[in-house]
Amino acid sequence: MTLFRLECKTHTKSLLIWMIVVTLLTFGMMAIFPSMKESMGEFKNAMPQELMEAFNISDMAALSTVGGYFGYIFQYIMIATGIFAAMLGTNSLAREEAEGTIEYLYAQPISRTSIIVSKMLSSLLLYTLYWIISVCVSLLICLIFKESSASASDLVTNFSLFALAGWVMGLTFLSVGFLLSSMLSSNKSATSLSLGLVFLTYILGIVGKLQHDFRFLTYFSPIEAALPSKVFQDGIEGKYMLTDWLIILIACCLTFWIYRRKDLKV
Amino acid sequence: MLPVIELNHISKYFGKFAAVKDLSLTVEKGEFFGFIGPNGAGKSTTMNMILSFIKQDGGTVKLFGQEMPAGNVAVKKRIGYVPSDVRFYPQLRVQDLIRYTMDFHQVKENKKEVDELCELFQVDRKKKFGDLSLGNKKKVAIVCAMIHQPELLILDEPTNGLDPLMHARLFRLMKEKQEQGVTIFLSSHNLKEVEDYCSKIAFIKNGQLIGVEDLTKMNKKVKVVTLKGRNLPVEQMEAIGAKSITQNEDEIRFLYEKDLVQLFTTLKELSNELDDITVSNRDLEEQFMSMYENKGGEW
């Protein structure tokens, strides 16, 4: 519990910064929607279909609805969310060794299992807070800028499904981040590993979507399964959720297994 | 009574390099135990194994009779540790670090004792840990290691960065703690402080224990005689029972533990042939050097 409190206190500042940035970005991008929605239909076949799919746009007309437009712009926030979650995980255990604070922490009466549990729970809380607030603010912004014909209750339903899918996506990156962190003894590479992890899986999702022979690759892309454009259209697809939960479970188990056995760098 | 620290044939390899090789030692309750050796001898590796930061490749570590790391949490409630290089959470204020330490140990703040410790070591509790100097960081580590009334204090080079006043206060406090029954395990380079305060010392070199000495029983009557000159009187000195320990072209050192009158009579006779004569008590450093030389090593 003490470490849990210490972790929450340590990360509150970065959590606030991320939330403010995401809110401002979402607001800024949505603010131009009312002026753009009129002209979007005119660009109908302006781009090849594959390119539009790669950018997660089903058709240009979709961009003239608040859901469609939000689905398009928010995929970039999803990537940022993935990076936030992955970095939270990758830094968690490795930073203690890199900064030498593990020599204080592990000299206290605390087991390695408790260290992982406290850090996982605090990261889970921070990420969940970040996500809930980001989604709520986004919903509010969408309600402000929505076209008059769009139904508010549909938006709320869509957003609640999307909130769940996005939350699981972040948890997947968080848990893989923890696994990487348990293997590292320095957090120097944490940022590059997090960026690599998120972008690689994002690209796998695009390749899988465009090339039917590589369709299976979409299972390795947590962002792909949770994109608002997809969730708003198809709802949550159970098979993707299952893959995510499976990855979370395996990553968590391996984190405990590795960290309990490793030599801590002091 | 169970020993407080019991290392049984522990080894640690980093690749093919043996950082610690088959090391065994026992520290009894209430001992002020000095652990000395040159840089890279394996002192910190041994301490890291004692505290379960790293796992030994062979042998067992027992603290308070409990095998590590199985007894880790229970045992660490009874330990205070001062690392050599103090790197605590830089963003926390000293008072927060003290509070977190007590929370980890699930002890209530004894305000009077914390005040006393902070005053003794002149610790500014309002400052952020990251803003402190090396010496002040060390003092915070000492306070954090002592506030939960540990039964075993493990200190890795505790005087690094401390000014002479704080140095003296730390050792006086540790002596008081020892008198109250606390066991102290201290690694150091400084042979003088070890000699003045420790009741027992262990020498380590190249990862191997080369001797354990009980300073309470050490024969302090042994003299070291150093003679300088062109014609060194080896035979005459050996005839009165002096044992040569080192010799080079114009200097020789002897150990002598017999009658002093005979020693000084002989030295008086030899004085005309010599450039310089020194007679001193054999201190820890001398013993340390002779142990290493016997093992064919260099300090």
Side-chain angles (χ1 to χ4, degrees):
Chain A
M1 194 61 195
T2 308
L3 180 59
F4 176 81
R5 277 193 290 122
L6 179 58
E7 282 291 298
C8 290
K9 188 178 173 178
T10 308
H11 297 293
T12 310
K13 212 181 198 174
S14 73
L15 172 77
L16 282 173
I17 293 171
W18 274 87
M19 282 195 310
I20 291 168
V21 170
V22 164
T23 305
L24 290 178
L25 268 177
T26 313
F27 187 84
M29 289 196 283
M30 286 307 289
I32 53 172
F33 169 67
S35 60
M36 282 184 74
K37 67 180 175 195
E38 310 297 328
S39 50
M40 276 304 159
E42 294 165 17
F43 286 102
K44 216 166 188 174
N45 299 311
M47 282 195 282
Q49 187 61 32
E50 287 79 9
L51 195 61
M52 293 215 290
E53 263 189 62
F55 284 110
N56 296 303
I57 310 166
S58 53
D59 59 75
M60 280 300 189
L63 290 181
S64 59
T65 65
V66 72
Y69 181 77
F70 173 79
Y72 167 68
I73 59 131
F74 207 74
Q75 62 181 319
Y76 301 109
I77 305 287
M78 295 287 281
I79 295 173
T81 300
I83 293 169
F84 170 66
M87 277 175 63
L88 206 55
T90 353
N91 276 309
S92 61
L93 300 164
R95 180 155 59 193
E96 299 279 356
E97 285 178 71
E99 293 181 359
T101 47
I102 191 71
E103 217 168 355
Y104 165 80
L105 181 60
Y106 199 53
Q108 310 304 319
I110 187 166
S111 66
R112 294 193 187 196
T113 307
S114 306
I115 293 178
I116 305 171
V117 170
S118 305
K119 282 183 176 274
M120 279 185 170
L121 287 179
S122 60
S123 300
L124 176 69
L125 176 73
L126 292 168
Y127 168 67
T128 307
L129 269 176
Y130 157 85
W131 186 239
I132 289 175
I133 292 170
S134 299
V135 170
C136 288
V137 169
S138 302
L139 175 61
L140 206 68
I141 294 170
C142 282
L143 288 173
I144 295 169
F145 293 114
K146 79 176 179 62
E147 68 274 26
S148 51
S149 58
S151 143
S153 67
D154 279 356
L155 260 181
V156 173
T157 318
N158 281 338
F159 261 82
S160 46
L161 282 178
F162 159 63
L164 176 65
W167 183 66
V168 177
M169 173 211 79
L171 290 192
T172 315
F173 285 120
L174 185 65
S175 58
V176 176
F178 261 94
L179 174 60
L180 292 171
S181 197
S182 71
M183 294 187 270
L184 300 170
S185 54
S186 159
N187 66 338
K188 275 185 196 157
S189 50
T191 308
S192 45
L193 274 173
S194 305
L195 289 172
L197 177 71
V198 174
F199 283 113
L200 182 74
T201 53
Y202 180 66
I203 289 165
L204 287 182
I206 293 176
V207 173
K209 196 163 54 179
L210 295 180
Q211 291 288 328
H212 290 285
D213 292 345
F214 296 111
R215 190 104 198 127
F216 67 95
L217 287 177
T218 49
Y219 287 102
F220 298 100
S221 179
I223 294 181
E224 183 61 32
L227 283 172
S229 55
K230 194 176 172 73
V231 176
F232 288 172
Q233 210 166 37
D234 308 327
I236 293 177
E237 285 192 66
K239 56 185 179 185
Y240 290 119
M241 285 282 128
L242 201 66
T243 336
D244 281 356
W245 283 114
L246 202 65
I247 292 171
I248 293 169
L249 186 72
I250 294 170
C252 287
C253 291
L254 280 175
T255 303
F256 281 97
W257 195 84
I258 294 168
Y259 196 71
R260 289 183 60 186
R261 279 159 186 78
K262 88 184 286 197
D263 277 351
L264 299 172
K265 192 181 147 214
V266 285
Chain B
M1 194 183 288
L2 281 172
V4 175
I5 301 176
E6 212 179 339
L7 308 181
N8 218 338
H9 301 287
I10 58 166
S11 300
K12 183 70 190 176
Y13 291 87
F14 295 111
K16 283 185 181 172
F17 171 70
V20 173
K21 237 188 293 180
D22 197 32
L23 186 144
S24 298
L25 65 84
T26 305
V27 180
E28 302 291 342
K29 185 174 162 42
E31 270 180 353
F32 200 134
F33 198 99
F35 193 48
I36 56 177
N39 288 330
K43 298 191 299 290
S44 292
T45 307
T46 307
M47 287 193 156
N48 289 339
M49 282 191 275
I50 293 175
L51 289 160
S52 290
F53 284 113
I54 56 174
K55 290 197 170 67
Q56 66 274 17
D57 293 321
T60 54
V61 175
K62 280 186 183 174
L63 297 179
F64 299 103
Q66 294 193 60
E67 198 155 325
M68 294 290 276
N72 183 53
V73 176
V75 160
K76 283 187 182 163
K77 280 190 177 165
R78 303 163 76 179
I79 296 180
Y81 171 57
V82 178
S84 162
D85 182 15
V86 184
R87 291 186 293 167
F88 290 0
Y89 297 97
Q91 75 277 17
L92 294 184
R93 289 185 193 284
V94 174
Q95 60 194 13
D96 294 332
L97 268 169
I98 293 174
R99 209 190 62 236
Y100 277 117
T101 309
M102 285 191 290
D103 288 351
F104 274 121
H105 284 272
Q106 294 170 324
V107 290
K108 286 222 169 90
E109 181 177 346
N110 181 343
K111 202 176 171 308
K112 189 170 163 269
E113 204 193 340
V114 176
D115 287 348
E116 275 173 8
L117 271 173
C118 289
E119 205 171 309
L120 182 68
F121 289 106
Q122 294 169 356
V123 167
D124 183 352
R125 280 178 275 182
K126 296 268 186 281
K127 276 199 169 167
K128 276 194 176 174
F129 184 79
D131 296 337
L132 299 177
S133 67
L134 178 73
N136 283 330
K137 283 179 179 172
K138 201 83 177 192
K139 291 188 306 195
V140 173
I142 294 166
V143 171
C144 286
M146 295 206 180
I147 44 173
H148 58 279
Q149 308 282 4
E151 295 164 57
L152 167 64
L153 270 170
I154 298 179
L155 306 106
D156 195 357
E157 313 268 358
T159 49
N160 269 2
L162 287 189
D163 59 57
L165 178 67
M166 291 302 140
H167 185 149
R169 285 184 182 177
L170 170 66
F171 273 90
R172 213 161 43 226
L173 180 66
M174 285 201 289
K175 203 72 197 164
E176 272 172 32
K177 293 274 175 196
Q178 187 205 6
E179 280 157 13
Q180 292 161 12
V182 174
T183 310
I184 295 157
F185 186 79
L186 161 116
S187 96
S188 181
H189 280 122
N190 189 334
L191 296 178
K192 187 81 187 106
E193 69 187 19
V194 169
E195 187 178 17
D196 289 347
Y197 292 93
C198 292
S199 52
K200 217 179 216 181
I201 46 164
F203 302 99
I204 180 173
K205 196 188 176 206
N206 293 337
Q208 284 177 302
L209 194 70
I210 58 167
V212 178
E213 200 70 34
D214 189 338
L215 294 187
T216 54
K217 292 178 190 158
M218 199 168 102
N219 186 358
K220 292 195 173 163
K221 285 182 182 166
V222 180
K223 305 287 173 199
V224 176
V225 183
T226 309
L227 306 179
K228 286 183 184 173
R230 281 174 184 256
N231 299 312
L232 295 168
V234 183
E235 282 174 17
Q236 290 98 313
M237 289 298 287
E238 281 178 349
I240 60 164
K243 281 183 216 155
S244 151
I245 42 175
T246 56
Q247 182 176 5
N248 55 37
E249 218 174 290
D250 56 358
E251 186 186 293
I252 187 162
R253 281 158 63 236
F254 294 97
L255 278 185
Y256 183 83
E257 48 188 314
K258 295 193 173 167
D259 181 31
L260 287 180
V261 176
Q262 192 177 14
L263 172 68
F264 285 109
T265 313
T266 312
L267 289 177
K268 193 181 167 192
E269 287 165 12
L270 296 171
S271 59
N272 290 336
E273 300 166 32
L274 294 165
D275 296 339
D276 191 25
I277 299 171
T278 318
V279 179
S280 58
N281 281 328
R282 183 174 74 163
D283 60 9
L284 191 59
E285 190 165 352
E286 195 61 50
Q287 180 158 358
F288 195 29
M289 298 295 275
S290 69
M291 282 178 92
Y292 274 174
E293 278 148 11
N294 289 342
K295 295 264 173 182
E298 282 174 22
W299 176 234

